[in-house]
Structures are given as C-alpha cells and as structure tokens.
Amino acid sequence: MPKLKIAECREFIQTVSAKALDMKVPVAIAVVNAEGHLLALERMDDAGFITPDIATSKAFTVAAFRSMSPRFPDGLAIQQWFKERNPQMLINASIFTGGKVVVSGGCAPIFKGDEMVGAYGVSGGTSDQDEIMAIYAREKVGWAHRAQNDATPPEVREHIEALYRKAGLDTGKL
C-alpha cells in the first residue's frame, strides 16, 4: 500500500514556498494523508495567522470528498458543486467537522498509481494564486492529482468538466 513520505511533503512545501516568494505572496501549506490526518504543515513568515488552519482544512476537505466520489477531483469542483446544489449543506459540513471543511482553489488529492494517498492545501493568496502555486509545485515534485488509470464514468467526467466551465475554468479537463 503506497504512502506519502515526509521527505516528499517537505519537497512539496519547499517548492510551494519558493513559488510564493517569487509571487510575493506568503502562504501556509498543509499535506494530509488519505484519511485527512495532518502529515506536514508550514506557515511562511508574514503569512496570515489563520492560513495554517485554512490550508489544513482545504487538504482535509479534498481527502474527505475525493474519497467519497470521483465527482470531487479538487477544491474548485467541490466549491462549484455545492454552490449549485446545496450551499447550506457545505456550511453544515463545516460545522459538523469542527470547521474542517473549506472549499477553494489551491487544493487537490495526491495519487500514487491508482490509489489516493493524501491531499494538499495552500492558503494565503487569492484562490487563483493558491492554485497557481500548488499546481506549479505539484508538477515540479511529480505528484499526480488523478489516478493513473482513470475509471471516472463518462457522465461523471462531463459533469465535472461542466462545473469547471461554469466556474470559468475551461482548462479543467479530466
């Protein structure tokens, strides 16, 4: 059973931090395992005091929702899905998890082969800035945000892509 190693988490955190310095946007970065338990967390100098909690909650949310359904490939799709269907349920989910549910850009699952092994969250910039930093680091360290053999049913795939389009993210193709 593949697992995330702390050295991998540190490399991701360092890569996000380097990009954040380039962008002049201090952030906090969190990595959780597949069950949503914290593996690594760092808050850059000058990042807001609440950013570690938000980054951890973003990662937790992706781990929780992605483990439930392929309909939730990242925070942006989760956000759009709840916005269209039941915003109150999202608030309720945050309450019954002790505030651990936060949906925004800058978070996605981490896969090794076909198994989700964790998720990450970045917080401190705008949703778009967090997403840019996260994708940059994910690609640099070689983390996959999808299963190697994607078995997402076509109707679910189209549904997710429609959510991306409605959110103005035409590049969000599965």
Side-chain angles (χ1 to χ4, degrees):
M1 178 170 168
K3 292 186 175 197
L4 278 174
K5 303 290 186 199
I6 194 66
E8 296 173 277
C9 298
R10 286 184 184 126
E11 182 183 3
F12 179 78
I13 288 170
Q14 290 169 346
T15 307
V16 170
S17 297
K19 183 68 172 173
L21 286 172
D22 288 345
M23 294 174 65
K24 297 179 176 42
V25 179
V27 296
I29 307 107
V31 181
V32 300
N33 66 12
E35 294 80 29
H37 299 291
L38 187 63
L39 295 174
L41 174 64
E42 184 171 301
R43 178 184 160 267
M44 295 175 65
D45 294 336
D46 299 323
F49 71 89
I50 197 170
T51 59
D53 296 311
I54 296 170
T56 303
S57 293
K58 284 182 177 185
F60 171 87
T61 301
V62 170
F65 283 90
R66 179 63 187 170
S67 66
M68 284 185 349
S69 168
R71 290 189 185 272
F72 303 115
D74 57 39
L76 295 172
I78 295 168
Q79 183 179 50
Q80 190 66 27
W81 191 89
F82 274 103
K83 188 163 106 177
E84 290 181 3
R85 282 162 184 77
N86 192 346
Q88 186 62 44
M89 181 57 187
L90 184 60
I91 294 166
N92 291 343
S94 186
I95 291 168
F96 66 66
T97 61
K100 287 186 176 181
V101 172
V102 172
V103 293
S104 182
C107 55
I110 305 161
F111 282 86
K112 288 189 177 185
D114 290 331
E115 188 171 341
M116 188 179 80
V117 295
Y120 63 79
V122 177
S123 178
T126 65
S127 182
D128 288 344
Q129 289 171 325
D130 292 347
E131 187 74 7
I132 289 166
M133 288 179 241
I135 290 171
Y136 171 83
R138 183 180 75 213
E139 290 174 354
K140 283 283 192 187
V141 302
W143 279 355
H145 65 292
R146 292 188 203 119
Q148 186 175 351
N149 299 298
D150 188 3
T152 306
E155 64 277 4
V156 172
R157 180 182 302 276
E158 176 49 39
H159 178 245
I160 294 166
E161 290 174 2
L163 290 173
Y164 284 130
R165 286 191 298 275
K166 285 184 181 180
L169 301 166
D170 292 336
T171 59
K173 296 266 184 207
L174 287 182

